[in-house]
Amino acid sequence: MLKEKVLNAINEQINAEQFSAFLYLSMSAYFYEKGLPGFGNWMFIQYQEELTHANKFFNYVNERGGKAVIKAIDQVDTDFAGVIDVFEKTLAHEQHVTDRINKLMDVAIAESDHATVSFLKWFVDEQVEEEANVTEILDTLKLINGQGNGIFMLDREMRSRVFVDETQAAE
Ligand code: FEO
């Protein structure tokens, strides 16, 4: 059985992961409309990944005999000032998520909930990967100033990303 503080914090995180999913879906729409289907694809996969994160928390709550509470999702941004702007916002958002996961870990530690501490380690590692991936793309975008031939080549590369449910692979 999950303690109330841990359960509440996880329920907040389910909402935060769903918010992340919608934010990336909105960014995907922006890219498709701007004629960058590779970037649109990359963000759509990011959206799918965030849903698996939310569902990993959801399944964990069920497994521990708690009740997941599904809440309204705040409105996400629907317009952006270019490719670099999108990835700067993505990096800032992932840094915010890392902060949230760390705070969630603090709650689990304070409540001596070792099972949740163990469960959260997957997310701690995932955030390192998320921030590194986005930083790499952002660095490349800055090198090419987010325009010209470079952007079309990068768009083609982004088209090859395929969705893999890493939450399943890890279990
Ligand atoms: Fe669910 Fe991108 O962290």
Side-chain angles (χ1 to χ4, degrees):
M1 192 71 187
L2 286 167
K3 289 184 185 163
E4 200 183 341
K5 274 188 190 167
V6 177
L7 175 62
N8 290 344
I10 292 177
N11 274 330
E12 288 301 322
Q13 192 60 28
I14 290 174
N15 185 267
E17 298 288 351
Q18 290 170 334
F19 175 88
S20 301
F22 275 36
L23 176 63
Y24 297 144
L25 185 62
S26 183
M27 288 170 169
S28 175
Y30 171 81
F31 284 136
Y32 276 116
E33 200 267 334
K34 292 286 175 204
L36 292 168
F39 283 92
N41 172 62
W42 196 93
M43 276 299 173
F44 189 80
I45 288 168
Q46 200 67 11
Y47 151 72
Q48 290 175 290
E49 274 198 2
E50 296 301 345
L51 289 181
T52 68
H53 295 173
N55 293 339
K56 190 173 174 75
F57 280 110
F58 178 82
N59 291 332
Y60 180 71
V61 169
N62 296 335
E63 202 179 347
R64 294 289 308 277
K67 178 159 187 276
V69 179
I70 307 305
K71 299 173 185 176
I73 299 161
D74 289 343
Q75 176 65 51
V76 295
D77 286 346
T78 57
D79 202 15
F80 304 91
V83 186
I84 290 178
D85 179 48
V86 171
F87 278 89
E88 277 176 342
K89 285 185 171 137
T90 300
L91 181 58
H93 185 67
E94 286 303 329
Q95 287 165 341
H96 165 71
V97 173
T98 299
D99 194 47
R100 291 193 60 102
I101 296 289
N102 288 339
K103 288 193 170 114
L104 188 46
M105 183 66 104
D106 290 343
V107 173
I109 291 168
E111 295 294 313
S112 302
D113 184 343
H114 298 275
T116 299
V117 169
S118 173
F119 168 79
L120 287 173
K121 280 182 181 154
W122 185 89
F123 284 93
V124 172
D125 295 341
E126 173 68 10
Q127 283 311 119
V128 173
E129 203 180 300
E130 293 266 77
E131 285 192 35
N133 290 343
V134 177
T135 300
E136 195 182 322
I137 294 167
L138 189 54
D139 287 348
T140 306
L141 283 170
K142 284 179 178 168
L143 276 175
I144 59 175
N145 272 331
Q147 54 196 345
N149 277 346
I151 203 80
F152 288 105
M153 287 176 70
L154 193 54
D155 188 65
R156 195 171 298 174
E157 203 180 308
M158 304 283 261
R159 205 179 295 192
S160 66
R161 186 182 185 193
V162 290
F163 173 64
V164 178
D165 187 345
E166 289 174 5
T167 63
Q168 295 301 318
E171 278 165 10

